[in-house]
Amino acid sequence: MAAGAGWRMGAGERGGRGSRGAETLFRALLFCVLGCGFCWGNSVERKIYIPLNKTAPCVRLLNATHQIGCQSSMNGDTGVIHVVEKDQDLKWVLTDGPHPPYMVLLEGELFTRELMLQLKGSSRISGLAVAISKPSPAQGFSPGLKCPNDGFGVYSNDYGPQYAHCNWTVWNPLGNGLAYEDFNFPIFLLEDANETQVIKQCYQDHNLPQNGSVPEYPLCAMQLFAHMHAVTNTVTCMRRSSLQTAFSLNPEVCDALSDYNVWSTLKPINTSSKIDPVDEVIIVATRIDSHSFFWNVAPGAESAVASFVTHLAAAEALHKVPDVQMLPRNIMFTFFQGETFDYIGSSRMVYDMKMDKFPIRLDNIHSFLELSQVALRNSSVLWVHTDPVSRRNESIQPQVKTLVEALINSSMGANVTLQEVDQSQPLPPSSFQRFLRAKSIPGVVLADHRTSFQNRYYQSMYDTAENILMKYPEGLSPEETLDYVTDTAKSLAEVATVVARALYQLAGGTGNTSAIQADPRTVSRMLYGFLIKTNNSWFQSIIKQDLKGLLGDELPQHYIAVTTLVNTTQLVQYVLANLTGTVVNFTKEECLNPEKTPNPEKEMYVYTWAQGSRDPNSTSRVPFCVQSTVHLTKAASPAFELKQWGSTEYSTWTESRWKDIRARIFLVASKELEIITLVVGIAILILSLLATYFINAKAHVLFSSPGDGGAVAY
């Protein structure tokens, strides 16, 4: 009895040990498989997919009434690649090709509105990759509107109705409006010619039809991820964002386009209070942002950079004049952000002035001078544009005439010829129009075009340094290129000189203006930094040490952001401080905390601790403190502060949020092979589960040791 009981106990123990052994072995195998998967998963993925790292997506933007841009499905869109190099190649993807949907690799010259609308209307297209055209398309390319910022300038049914909606002058005749269309498939820009060639080689090896025959699997495919969270319009997305915020959730829908304006004054003012009502201020303005069809691809050489560089050079030239602090009138240098999107920056400044949230009131403005596109002048002619409606006012007309005469007189002896356009012609798109909406102010806009834009690449990825004819000799080092004075720099320096001399006279200066001269070398440095390479020795020396991330090796872009300071804004801020400020003998502690110093003028200035140039005899830098009058102020549309998301008075542009933007290519098998692979995989899984169940159930037999049999005999 005892023996029987002992035998049964021994068998139970053996069964338990066998079961535990099987479970331990199974767990070990599972951990081994998972560990191998974790270690090799990325390696396998790299063998399957080739990531495309130098791309720029088209993203979704929204305003009060529309959504524009592009998006993919939630898990990305995939299609067989087909290269379209001529119009005839479209037939394959639209009708003849047997393997839809297709990912079209489109040559840049064919990226036109007509072709894109054909693709937009086809269900056989899953996405598009655009190869950037080099050189730029000779016929020009502008995805913007023919009438930029229509409806948000000064001209309306109540003010110069004959000029509204560009009825008098079509400013951007090449504008095809492509950037304001809505596409339901992803569109990416291929910025690297090497990656473009890799895709074309994959297409030629696997997808290219031979002698009219259909290419066989495996085929080269592309996958684009660019799913956008926002839909319909700004009203819808902001309402959803506010609901998420109300429930303490992180909003995942859209954000208002916003940043900061940069401004400074020739004579310091106390920004914590308002200036005296009798004080007069001349505003000099320009925009610092641009746009194109693709997100954060906005070189803006002619549309923005040339003008704000000229503005900066004029500010430097004026600050060097000995008696500027004694001038009867002050001068305010203003750099507006977000002007591409219905005048975000200027409308916000006007709003703040009206609401007494800015140290300068609208009534303090003596006159307004704006630098528009100025780099592409024919025969060195710069055109002076004025507003025909306000000039009918008897008090405004003589002031505008004085302003125009000061500019023309200042161009005497310079290589710039200023001419006034016909007084019946309206103002071109300009920030000045937003000020005129609030108050009749004497003002002019300087531009290189008499009527339509000279710029054939307005709001385009092709508005680059080449567009404004910047050329460098071959073989120059980066430092030599930085300091090389191009013909473009000389030309813009001439414009800056004319502007600075005119401003000096308008501010009440009576001295000899011939000594007022903009520096072509400084202009050349700025053009290089803002158009070619921000990570240069000069920019490095004038920024704060903790802002080294501003200076990347990528080509500079000038697209407005959402909620954060963009690189352009910060660089303009530091360049302006460097060109117009004064180096003061402050320690780092005093510079970073001026409120702790006994300086009575500390509220009149802003202090910046710049990291300085490298010491020639070491790797360390020689930092210094700059005292300037450079300030930042919000460039966020009042519509969002007022929660008027459907406003027709203010800009309502928002940008959709997203989680994943990437592109990759790989070889895709036929549907039949994919189904067979899936079925075989399921079958193997079922067999594996059955085998595991059988082994676990018979563990006491399969894993019993030979010695255990002897224990039974006892």
Side-chain angles (χ1 to χ4, degrees), residues 215-526:
E216 297 182 356
Y217 286 99
L219 297 173
C220 190
M222 181 184 292
Q223 190 171 28
L224 302 178
F225 297 84
H227 180 66
M228 301 288 126
H229 295 174
V231 294
T232 311
N233 52 42
T234 290
V235 177
T236 301
C237 82
M238 290 303 294
R239 184 175 64 244
R240 292 176 179 176
S241 292
S242 62
L243 284 173
Q244 292 179 4
T245 303
F247 287 98
S248 301
L249 301 174
N250 183 31
E252 292 289 345
V253 187
C254 68
D255 298 287
L257 294 180
S258 61
D259 195 59
Y260 287 83
N261 298 321
V262 182
W263 66 279
S264 73
T265 52
L266 189 64
K267 297 188 290 184
I269 62 173
N270 190 339
T271 56
S272 62
S273 60
K274 305 292 183 294
I275 68 172
D276 196 288
V278 299
D279 289 345
E280 294 183 322
V281 178
I282 301 168
I283 292 183
V284 196
T286 190
R287 66 175 59 188
I288 59 174
D289 69 298
S290 188
H291 178 45
S292 80
F293 185 88
F294 299 98
W295 182 76
N296 204 30
V297 178
E302 159 74 340
S303 61
V305 176
S307 57
F308 75 67
V309 162
T310 304
H311 189 172
L312 288 165
E316 180 193 32
L318 269 173
H319 273 269
K320 290 180 179 178
V321 179
D323 65 341
V324 289
Q325 296 301 318
M326 305 301 295
L327 293 176
R329 300 186 184 97
N330 207 343
I331 299 175
M332 176 177 166
F333 306 100
T334 314
F335 301 82
F336 291 121
Q337 181 63 272
E339 296 301 272
T340 303
F341 295 95
D342 299 337
Y343 306 118
I344 293 175
S346 56
S347 63
R348 179 53 185 257
M349 183 170 284
V350 171
Y351 173 80
D352 286 344
M353 287 180 173
K354 290 169 65 176
M355 302 301 292
D356 281 340
K357 296 180 179 180
F358 197 78
I360 297 171
R361 303 176 179 87
L362 286 170
D363 290 338
N364 292 120
I365 300 175
H366 169 268
S367 53
F368 198 104
L369 191 158
E370 180 168 355
L371 289 167
S372 185
Q373 303 177 81
V374 294
L376 299 175
R377 305 194 306 279
N378 280 334
S379 303
S380 297
V381 176
L382 200 62
W383 295 95
V384 182
H385 297 259
T386 58
D387 172 41
V389 179
S390 61
R391 293 190 72 168
R392 297 171 193 162
N393 186 316
E394 293 182 357
S395 63
I396 297 294
Q397 166 62 16
Q399 296 180 67
V400 174
K401 187 176 180 180
T402 301
L403 187 54
V404 173
E405 288 176 350
L407 285 163
I408 293 176
N409 292 336
S410 298
S411 67
M412 299 297 182
N415 293 326
V416 181
T417 302
L418 265 70
Q419 294 185 22
E420 187 178 3
V421 301
D422 192 294
Q423 293 187 20
S424 63
Q425 181 173 294
L427 287 169
S430 52
S431 306
F432 180 40
Q433 293 199 33
R434 290 301 304 191
F435 283 79
L436 283 176
R437 283 178 72 127
K439 187 178 187 295
S440 289
I441 298 171
V444 300
V445 176
L446 299 184
D448 56 20
H449 54 89
R450 183 178 185 178
T451 53
S452 301
F453 294 163
Q454 296 274 57
N455 188 3
R456 294 176 298 138
Y457 306 109
Y458 183 74
Q459 291 188 4
S460 163
M461 60 227 183
Y462 300 114
D463 190 9
T464 59
E466 290 78 13
N467 185 34
I468 59 173
L469 309 178
M470 282 178 60
K471 297 178 181 178
Y472 296 93
E474 294 184 2
L476 295 182
S477 67
E479 283 301 307
E480 291 171 335
T481 308
L482 173 66
D483 287 324
Y484 181 81
V485 180
T486 62
D487 290 340
T488 302
K490 294 176 184 176
S491 175
L492 294 178
E494 290 279 357
V495 176
T497 297
V498 171
V499 170
R501 291 175 178 177
L503 289 171
Y504 176 76
Q505 293 179 18
L506 291 167
T510 57
N512 186 0
T513 61
S514 60
I516 301 176
Q517 186 73 45
D519 186 1
R521 182 170 172 267
T522 301
V523 173
S524 193
R525 283 183 156 200
M526 289 190 285

Side-chain angles (χ1 to χ4, degrees), residues 72-271:
S72 73
S73 58
M74 186 170 292
N75 297 315
D77 289 323
T78 305
V80 174
I81 296 172
H82 191 77
V83 177
V84 175
E85 297 178 325
K86 52 186 182 298
D87 289 335
Q88 291 79 357
D89 295 336
L90 277 179
K91 188 178 179 185
W92 181 267
V93 297
L94 294 177
T95 56
D96 295 351
H99 306 120
Y102 284 97
M103 279 281 178
V104 176
L105 173 55
L106 189 67
E107 292 296 329
E109 295 86 350
L110 298 178
F111 188 48
T112 63
R113 179 181 178 85
E114 293 73 24
L115 186 144
M116 289 302 297
L117 292 182
Q118 288 186 60
L119 299 180
K120 182 179 179 180
S122 173
S123 60
R124 293 168 57 89
I125 305 299
S126 60
L128 190 71
V130 180
I132 195 165
S133 179
K134 292 184 179 180
S136 302
Q139 70 276 15
F141 175 74
S142 174
L145 299 172
K146 293 183 183 296
C147 188
N149 291 353
D150 185 23
F152 289 86
V154 68
Y155 302 114
S156 65
N157 293 334
D158 300 323
Y159 189 99
Q162 68 273 34
Y163 306 124
H165 314 300
C166 296
N167 288 332
W168 193 274
T169 304
V170 178
W171 296 108
N172 185 30
L174 291 177
N176 58 31
L178 193 59
Y180 294 83
E181 289 287 335
D182 183 36
F183 296 92
N184 59 359
F185 51 76
I187 303 175
F188 277 54
L189 176 68
L190 302 175
E191 299 181 279
D192 188 346
N194 293 327
E195 288 189 344
T196 303
Q197 189 55 44
V198 168
I199 300 171
K200 288 184 176 180
Q201 190 61 52
C202 185
Y203 165 79
Q204 291 168 2
D205 293 343
H206 299 279
N207 299 10
L208 188 64
Q210 300 291 340
N211 301 321
S213 62
V214 175
E216 297 182 356
Y217 286 99
L219 297 173
C220 190
M222 181 184 292
Q223 190 171 28
L224 302 178
F225 297 84
H227 180 66
M228 301 288 126
H229 295 174
V231 294
T232 311
N233 52 42
T234 290
V235 177
T236 301
C237 82
M238 290 303 294
R239 184 175 64 244
R240 292 176 179 176
S241 292
S242 62
L243 284 173
Q244 292 179 4
T245 303
F247 287 98
S248 301
L249 301 174
N250 183 31
E252 292 289 345
V253 187
C254 68
D255 298 287
L257 294 180
S258 61
D259 195 59
Y260 287 83
N261 298 321
V262 182
W263 66 279
S264 73
T265 52
L266 189 64
K267 297 188 290 184
I269 62 173
N270 190 339
T271 56

Side-chain angles (χ1 to χ4, degrees), residues 11-26 690-705 708:
E13 288 175 351
R14 288 196 301 273
R17 285 199 300 271
S19 177
R20 286 193 296 273
E23 184 178 351
T24 302
L25 178 63
F26 178 73
L690 290 174
T692 303
Y693 175 77
F694 174 76
I695 291 171
N696 190 56
K698 300 298 182 180
H700 64 283
V701 177
L702 296 174
F703 298 102
S704 61
S705 61
D708 290 341

Side-chain angles (χ1 to χ4, degrees), residues 78-80 98-101 216-219 221 666-679:
T78 305
V80 174
H99 306 120
E216 297 182 356
Y217 286 99
L219 297 173
F666 58 97
L667 294 180
V668 63
S670 66
K671 292 294 182 184
E672 292 78 7
L673 181 58
E674 289 179 347
I675 293 173
I676 292 172
T677 304
L678 177 63
V679 171

